[in-house]
Each structure stands twice: as structure tokens, then as C-alpha cells.
Amino acid sequence: DIDAFVGLSGPYDISHHFDYEAARGVEELSPMKAANEYSRERFEWNSPARRLKQFLRSFQEDSIPMDNYFPSCVLVHGIEDDTVPFTSTAETAQTLRMCGLSEVDEIYVPATAHQDTAVHFMTGGPTVPSVMEWLSRRSKVPPKKMRSTTPTGAVLANDNVA
């Protein structure tokens, strides 16, 4: 079972994100274009937000509570992200709530760029305490026992570990 989902700076609606790239004039450089076979239809098909929305709507028709089938979610985004605008996270959170998920949270990290939300988990940074605190509220493990580590196993300096 999956207890929680943590999304980091995601372009959850790929088709919408491609339009954002096109407006900036970088769509031809984007790996998304090749990954989606240069087709608008494939952008739609491969878009996590759109696919999840279709899936959740099929559950709604059966009146099944969404929270019984999906984990708590937190979507994390840096405010200074110029690769994927933080509005992508806000739109996705709103979509998930409209589809019936009640446990959807958003964390916006000031002075943080696109790659920084992930890099913080490797080197330490402001993203880590926010996400660890969110996870600890949902965990059966007491917060003082939850530790985030670098790939080498070192405990991050920002942890609130007793």
C-alpha cells in the first residue's frame, strides 16, 4: 500500500506545459516533444493530470469515496521555478480536489527553483523540513524517529530529530 504521495515541481498537465514552453520559444528544445512522439494527442494521453482526472471521474460515477483508494498527497513547488511554473501545482491540487480527493496539500517554497526541490533532499534545504513535517503528521512512526538522509546515508542538518 502507498501511504502518501509527494510530488516535486511537476508539470502534471503535459499538454498545458508544452503550451507554456511554446510561449517561451523553447518547445523545439524540450525533451517532452520527442518523448510524446511530436503529437498533441500523445501529450494529452501522457498527461498525468488528465489521465488521473478521467480515472477519478469513473470512480465518481460509482459513488466510491476517492480517499478510500488514493493516498494523501502533497504537491511541492518552488516559487522561483522558471522551468515549470508553480501554478502547475496549484491547478493540479484544485483538479484533485474537484475529483473528490480531500487529502491534498500544497507546499510552496520561497526562493527555490525547479531543480532545487529535489536537490534539497540530497544536500539539505528548506524543502526538507516542510515535507518531513507533512509526512510525520501522516505516519505511525513518531516524528523524532523519522529521518531523511543523503544518498550516502548522512542525516540532513535541517531534520527535527531529537
Side-chain angles (χ1 to χ4, degrees):
D1 289 348
I2 298 172
D3 295 326
F5 172 81
V6 178
L8 300 176
S9 300
Y12 303 105
D13 186 328
I14 294 173
S15 183
H16 182 78
H17 184 70
F18 183 75
D19 293 337
Y20 172 75
E21 289 180 336
R24 293 173 43 220
V26 298
E27 76 278 11
E28 295 301 322
L29 303 173
S30 173
M32 281 194 184
K33 189 170 183 178
N36 286 288
E37 302 171 4
Y38 304 94
S39 159
R40 176 61 74 173
E41 292 79 26
R42 297 304 296 176
F43 278 101
E44 297 282 338
W45 174 253
N46 291 320
S47 175
R50 291 172 190 251
R51 293 188 73 186
L52 184 58
K53 191 184 315 181
Q54 290 171 345
F55 181 72
L56 291 174
R57 284 190 178 142
S58 71
F59 273 93
Q60 286 176 326
E61 293 169 5
D62 296 330
S63 299
I64 299 171
M66 297 297 100
D67 292 327
N68 291 347
Y69 296 96
F70 288 87
S72 299
C73 300
V74 63
L75 304 176
V76 183
H77 217 111
I79 294 294
E80 301 299 323
D81 189 334
D82 60 1
T83 302
V84 177
F86 70 88
T87 55
S88 172
T89 287
E91 291 167 1
T92 299
Q94 181 181 13
T95 297
L96 292 171
R97 289 184 195 105
M98 287 173 36
C99 289
L101 293 176
S102 64
E103 295 188 43
V104 179
D105 292 313
E106 303 161 59
I107 297 174
Y108 296 97
V109 187
T112 301
H114 182 69
Q115 68 282 356
D116 294 340
T117 54
V119 171
H120 289 169
F121 282 95
M122 296 179 275
T123 62
T127 304
V128 177
S130 298
V131 172
M132 295 306 291
E133 192 275 328
W134 183 88
L135 286 169
S136 72
R137 291 194 319 255
R138 283 149 185 77
S139 175
K140 296 175 183 141
V141 177
K144 66 181 181 179
K145 294 189 179 186
M146 292 189 70
R147 302 187 127 188
S148 58
T149 61
T150 66
T152 62
V155 175
L156 298 174
N158 290 340
D159 282 353
N160 295 323
V161 178

